[in-house]
Amino acid sequence: MATDPGQARSAGGPRGGAVRVLVTYAGVHGSTRSIAERIATRSGELGVAADVLPAGAVDDLRGYDAYVLGSAVHDMAWLPEALALVHRDAELLARRGVWIFSVGMPSALRGPWKALVSREEGQVTGDLTEELRPRGHRLFSGVIRPEHLSRAGRLRLRAMGLRYGDYRDWPDVDAWARAIGSDLLGSSAEHPA
């Protein structure tokens, strides 16, 4: 279910919002937002109350028990608005449960380029992992279309043998979201204030 990127969406469940999670994202073309919304929906099905907001719209994190932070990966880094949120609130985020996800194009890679994914993933998340100590990280693939890239980007993509398409793996997103929800519901009494 798509939401307006400027508004929060509640996905409360049978527990009446006993555990509140903020799912926040930074993206450009919609893949990261759609994954954030799916995570909130699947967690909500377990009874976790989840709000979804773009990273740049997050003012106050104190009303949440846990966080799921995501960003598109451009030039081997999270987008500036996601990094700004992390750096601004790292202390609070690290004290509570936090999961992070990145959206890139590992599923579009072929041949020898595919072997670089695990090495590049560490480069993208290395500082974030040290700063936040997340309970988990997942690298998802998004959608890539010619209009998403500059002319130079399209040439680079062709030279690397990448293919355009929708590479979102919804079963993988669903499984990760449900694991987060189960973890939160199993440990909700342990969350620090």
Side-chain angles (χ1 to χ4, degrees), residues 58-121:
V58 176
D59 294 325
D60 187 2
L61 295 172
R62 290 175 293 180
Y64 296 95
D65 301 302
Y67 313 93
V68 179
L69 313 175
S71 178
V73 175
H74 289 197
D75 297 323
M76 299 294 296
W78 271 25
L79 297 179
E81 55 269 33
L83 291 173
L85 174 66
V86 166
H87 298 317
R88 182 189 78 203
D89 293 308
E91 186 178 321
L92 175 65
L93 292 165
R95 279 193 322 229
R96 300 189 184 177
V98 63
W99 288 260
I100 60 175
F101 70 94
S102 304
V103 180
M105 291 313 302
S107 295
L109 296 171
R110 294 182 185 183
W113 299 106
K114 204 158 194 69
L116 298 175
V117 170
S118 61
R119 204 167 60 220
E120 291 178 358
E121 185 176 359

Side-chain angles (χ1 to χ4, degrees), residues 142-163:
V143 176
I144 187 161
R145 295 190 174 106
E147 62 268 20
H148 294 168
L149 302 170
S150 65
R151 182 172 168 16
R154 289 190 302 272
L155 291 172
R156 192 170 37 246
L157 184 129
R158 186 179 305 147
M160 292 174 67
L162 287 133
R163 302 157 293 181

